[in-house]
Amino acid sequence: MRLSNMMNLRRIASSPSRLLLLLIFVIIAIFFNSFSDEKVIVGKVVKVIDGDTIEILDKNNKNYRVRFFGMDAPESKQAYGKKSREFLASMIASKTVTAIQKDKDKYSRIVAIIKLDDEDINKKMVANGYAWAYTYYSDIYAMDMRLAREQKLGLWADKNPIEPYEWRKMNR
């Protein structure tokens, strides 16, 4: 059967079985297309701004400011803010990473999961106590935060750690 015969809409509409097949095909195509919203950026980390924001330069010399998905690191002037940034920089500064975009924030930054050699850096930041799991948006790192808290890792060694969101509200 030739492609032109297969794509003849009159023929398809006149045959219930062909119409059903076309409908199934369209539904499957829409279903799989819904998973392709994630943009993937591969590039070199040219700047570690703080514990949850970096700048990436891709192979076309396009610069991206990327905020880490599912976590919130202490602010620079907050307790553990500098340590959080330093820990992140020690892992990924000047290295090529993959950013898997999940969203954009109100400042037009890409919000992404950062991977270095298939290792989830967002998870590593939370699991080592250098960031909070941002459970307002996702529970993806909640268990890692619980374990870090139990082991008193990083910011959890502090007697009274303040969530970055709360710290920002208090210091406006």
Side-chain angles (χ1 to χ4, degrees), residues 59-157:
K59 66 181 178 185
N60 298 319
N61 286 327
K62 185 170 182 190
N63 202 9
Y64 297 90
R65 185 162 285 206
V66 181
R67 167 85 167 73
F68 285 49
F69 172 79
M71 58 165 266
D72 196 11
E75 295 297 321
S76 298
K77 294 180 180 177
Q78 186 180 355
Y80 288 91
K82 186 177 178 185
K83 289 179 182 177
S84 176
R85 183 196 168 284
E86 289 170 352
F87 182 73
L88 180 59
S90 73
M91 289 188 293
I92 65 171
S94 300
K95 295 190 177 154
T96 299
V97 297
T98 302
I100 304 163
Q101 183 175 336
K102 295 295 187 182
D103 203 355
K104 278 201 168 191
D105 69 8
K106 62 184 179 182
Y107 305 108
S108 296
R109 294 178 297 190
I110 291 167
V111 179
I113 293 175
I114 306 301
K115 298 226 174 180
L116 175 67
D117 300 326
D118 289 327
E119 183 176 25
D120 185 337
I121 299 302
N122 306 40
K123 178 182 179 81
K124 197 165 183 177
M125 289 293 291
V126 174
N128 284 282
Y130 290 100
W132 294 71
Y134 214 164
T135 55
Y136 181 78
Y137 293 104
S138 172
D139 289 332
I140 188 172
Y141 304 117
M143 179 63 74
D144 300 293
M145 184 173 78
R146 188 178 67 76
L147 294 172
R149 180 182 271 169
E150 286 173 4
Q151 297 171 29
K152 298 193 183 306
L153 299 175
L155 64 90
W156 301 111

